[in-house]
Amino acid sequence: MPLFMAGTALGSMGLTSVAAAQAPRAPARPASKSAPAPSLTAPTVALPAKPAGTIKGLVVTGNQRIERDTVLSYTKLRIGDSYTQETLDAALKDLFGTELFADVKIRDDAGNLTIEVVENPVINRIVLEGNKRIKDEKILPEIKMAPRQIYTRSKVRADVARIIELYRRQGRFAAVVDPKLVKLDQNRVDIVYEISEGPKSKVRQINIIGNDHFGTGQLRGEMATKQSRFFRVFSSGTTYDPDRLAYDQQKLRQFYLTQGYADFRVVSAVAELTPDKQDFIITYVVEEGKRYKFGNVHVESDLRDLNADALNKTLPMHKGDWYNAKLVEDTVDRINETAGLFGYAFADVNPDFDRNKDALTMGITFRIGTAPRVYVERVNINGNTLTKDKVIRREFRLAEGDAFNSFLVKRSQDRINSLGFFQEKLTVEQKPGSAPDRIALETNVEEKSTGELQLSAGFSSLEKFIVSASIRQRNFRGMGQELRTSVNYSAYSKSVEVGFTEPYFLDKNIALGGDIFRRDYSSFNYLTDNTRNTTYQDVSTGFQVRAGVPLNEYLSLGLRYGLTFSNTTLDQATYYTNGVCDPIKAGRYLCDAIGKRTTSSVGYSLIYDRRDNRIRPQRGFYANLSQDVAGLGGDVRYIRTRLEGGQYVPLGHGFIFSLRGEGGYIKSLEGTRIDSTGAEVEPVRLTDRFFLGEPQMRGFDIRGVGPRVRRQYIGSDGSLTVADNNSDDALGGTVYYLAHAEVEIPLGAGARELGLRPSIFMDVGAVGGIKSPALTGNDGGVPGQYYGTCTLTSAAGVSSVVNAVGKGQAGCDPLAAGGTATYNGNGFQEKYLGDSLSPRLSVGFGVNWNSPFGPFRIDIAKALLTQPGDDTKTITFNIGTQF
């Protein structure tokens, strides 16, 4: 009886199974080890020569899940039809083509055909082994095989290719996937993909051939792909990415086109994997061509509102300048924006190029075609599930029916981004309306969390241990309202605050808000051993009511009224003598600061803001003039003026330069003030003055800049000591200025995901302008010198304390009078230092990190310009609370 069957090779792809497929009737062995699985190659059919005959009967055997008629439907064999060797050969191929069978045989008994099939097994489960960098939940949705499906060789092959592709997308070109088949009972199998991930394939070298006018290093700098080096540990550009290779070719072309090389082309770009499959070597072959200059450049306009002569005067390029394709693109965009200002949303601006290869010139005609004036048909807002529609819509500077204006569209986009409720770089799209003169504005928002619940403990170089609890909702009830409450506790400050702001009171463009607070602040000075000694405590309780109204699109006015009850005290055990503040212990300036006061103040702020984003600006500038007048009731009277502003400039490639400055002046309205000794003192009280240092000015310690009184104690030998109780008290000033120049440095995608934002900076500033304080003591005719006291013990053992007549023990010896005189070590000399408005300057670098434990900032700065008395500090850091 002739037998027609398909033979298969074994061991393809390293796929293994428990039992050999060529023995379909043998009992299955236990699945204890692996053996090669059937080949994935096409079946090979061997048939003996046979004349044509007629099919008398069709029998199917070996089928378990698949019905007989289903098996026969895959072939063209039918009872009564004639058949030949070619017919049976085609039937075998058709059955194998279904991928439902592991083996197929056809037996011919004088026209009675028996089709013997061995069905492919059912998949019991898919197992991934060795995958650490890509988790199961990322791989399994990407592959075709799944439990309860029929196992096929082609799907295994496709899955292996897909898994390898996933790893290549991560830059792991050394990844190897070895599929294995484990046979189970009831014709079931487990598919095991053994994955060897391998390291990330880096770019070891970038070679450029044919670059005669620009250095290889300069061209590498234009590319997104970077060579792997130790200092690029945070860069994602050092991994090989085929898509990035094509992008870099475009970057090279863009660079050359901006330099005038209009004929530049990349001849070839080849990426070669090193033999160890660890790195890639990329080689570009380029052809630079000749360098062109601009020829005749002019504008032709068919729009009556756009005057071609006026536009010609604004063109940034002129005949004879080196050709720059980027300048041409920017000019087209600028003309489109200008047309948009006149309501032409779909202006047709086309640059016509006139290339002269002999003269090496590129003439350009910017043709502005006719276009209808466009009106806003509708404004569509999608994706806002929490935020009310009106909260977004009120930020649009255009409404339905308004004439289109591209500037107002951009302004609307910036205002929505400044809310901070949605994804970064949100855009307002322009889509055609129902007619050529209609346009639809559409924005698709992705809401992000605006509520913050923080329970944290941290450590600050400023305040040591910090405990903070706060609740803040910047989009309360989806209405754009802000509700906040916070409790903070540290060694030197304690506060409780509750605040609320309604940005659109009664749906009018008027902001209204208020705050209630209690703050307990402990000031301190530094002793010689760098420990801190609490000087005065200032406890204040009060409230503030705020209102704001826009005067135009960029200018707004803020008004406020505040009432504060404060009580400034000193530790009586330390600074008092006989129930009275002792200038010898505290200093006259501290004794003058104590007392209860009520401050009733009214103020305003005039704010001009043209930043693209108030939260994370990248371009634009702002200015803020504010004044507060205290004296509407209460017992404190002054006028305080502050001016601040800043400019943000994108430098390209993600670098952002910012220049910010501020200054202030406070003038007392109380007239001359006299202390308890009858001396005239600074009319502005200590607690109302400006202070400067960490964190506002990096490189200096807390209140480390400006006027201060430094006290050094006199030792027994009469010299000034470096004793632990020497003190340094900052007095602040009535006038100050401060400026920051900073460049934010971009990092790779991995570092950005971690929230790392490094920067380099320069700070310059000063504070001063107060009246010189009356120093304590005038012994020996030296202001600020106090000899201290001596303890006298008579021959009868009676002790008394008297003032010394000189420095140290030598100032006590003449007072012995037959007994003993001992110097008490409390003599000192005070110096008034730092009252200079000469600039202090520091430079350094810092890193912001949005860590899992809260915002973290570290700065390393060096003070380059100082004045006598300034306290410098190199490293400052903070975690758990923001500066």
Side-chain angles (χ1 to χ4, degrees), residues 541-569:
T541 304
F543 69 88
Q544 185 180 74
V545 178
R546 297 170 279 104
V549 59
L551 303 180
N552 59 36
E553 183 62 29
Y554 302 103
L555 185 64
S556 60
L557 175 67
L559 303 174
R560 57 188 169 272
Y561 171 77
L563 181 64
T564 304
F565 303 94
S566 61
N567 184 19
T568 305
T569 60

Side-chain angles (χ1 to χ4, degrees), residues 114-389:
T114 301
I115 303 175
E116 297 180 358
V117 299
V118 176
E119 294 179 351
N120 273 332
V122 174
I123 299 172
N124 179 57
R125 59 174 181 156
I126 304 292
V127 180
L128 302 174
E129 294 182 354
N131 55 311
K132 296 180 180 178
R133 301 295 179 179
I134 306 181
K135 300 302 181 184
D136 289 9
E137 53 268 23
K138 297 291 185 181
I139 297 178
L140 291 176
E142 298 288 336
I143 62 179
K144 294 183 177 181
M145 306 286 277
R148 294 183 296 279
Q149 289 185 356
I150 302 298
Y151 159 79
T152 66
R153 293 184 293 270
S154 61
K155 287 184 180 180
V156 172
R157 182 169 54 235
D159 288 349
V160 169
R162 182 57 181 160
I163 295 172
I164 290 177
E165 177 64 23
L166 291 176
Y167 276 96
R168 287 188 172 184
R169 287 186 180 180
Q170 285 199 349
R172 299 181 184 276
F173 283 79
V176 176
V177 179
D178 185 16
K180 293 187 181 296
L181 185 75
V182 179
K183 285 194 172 182
L184 306 174
D185 56 0
Q186 298 179 352
N187 200 24
R188 296 176 302 127
V189 293
D190 286 343
I191 305 297
V192 181
Y193 294 105
E194 295 183 353
I195 302 172
S196 175
E197 297 180 316
K200 271 194 174 184
S201 299
K202 301 288 187 178
V203 177
R204 181 181 299 178
Q205 187 73 25
I206 299 177
N207 301 317
I208 303 175
I209 300 173
N211 53 313
D212 298 326
H213 297 91
F214 299 98
T216 300
Q218 183 178 1
L219 296 181
R220 288 172 182 158
E222 297 295 325
M223 301 178 185
T225 303
K226 304 297 180 184
Q227 296 181 131
S228 178
R229 298 294 184 267
F230 74 92
F231 52 84
R232 294 195 177 110
V233 62
F234 292 114
S235 175
S236 61
T238 58
T239 58
Y240 174 72
D241 186 342
D243 295 334
R244 197 185 295 133
L245 188 68
Y247 176 71
D248 286 338
Q249 294 180 58
Q250 183 64 25
K251 292 285 287 183
L252 282 175
R253 176 166 174 76
Q254 289 177 355
F255 171 75
Y256 270 94
L257 287 177
T258 61
Q259 303 300 317
Y261 294 88
D263 297 327
F264 171 84
R265 69 190 185 98
V266 178
V267 178
S268 66
V270 179
E272 298 175 292
L273 190 60
T274 56
D276 59 3
K277 295 187 177 182
Q278 297 292 316
D279 300 310
F280 275 88
I281 297 176
I282 301 175
T283 302
Y284 295 95
V285 179
V286 302
E287 186 179 293
E288 294 180 325
K290 300 295 184 179
R291 193 177 188 188
Y292 286 73
K293 290 186 176 181
F294 280 110
N296 294 318
V297 183
H298 64 281
V299 178
E300 294 182 359
S301 175
D302 293 333
L303 294 178
R304 60 183 178 84
D305 293 311
L306 296 183
N307 184 273
D309 293 334
L311 291 175
N312 281 328
K313 297 177 182 179
T314 65
L315 293 178
M317 71 283 288
H318 303 89
K319 184 177 181 179
D321 294 345
W322 290 113
Y323 174 71
N324 187 329
K326 181 66 167 58
L327 210 56
V328 176
E329 292 179 6
D330 292 344
T331 303
V332 171
D333 292 340
R334 192 177 297 113
I335 294 175
N336 272 314
E337 289 177 1
T338 303
L341 294 176
F342 291 93
Y344 298 99
F346 306 110
D348 183 20
V349 182
N350 292 306
D352 289 343
F353 297 90
D354 180 17
R355 181 183 309 204
N356 188 328
K357 292 188 177 182
D358 296 327
L360 295 179
T361 60
M362 186 75 73
I364 301 177
T365 301
F366 295 96
R367 302 187 187 279
I368 307 175
T370 58
R373 189 185 295 274
V374 176
Y375 296 87
V376 178
E377 183 176 34
R378 62 184 183 275
V379 176
N380 299 326
I381 302 171
N382 305 318
N384 53 315
T385 57
L386 172 66
T387 306
K388 303 295 184 184
D389 205 64

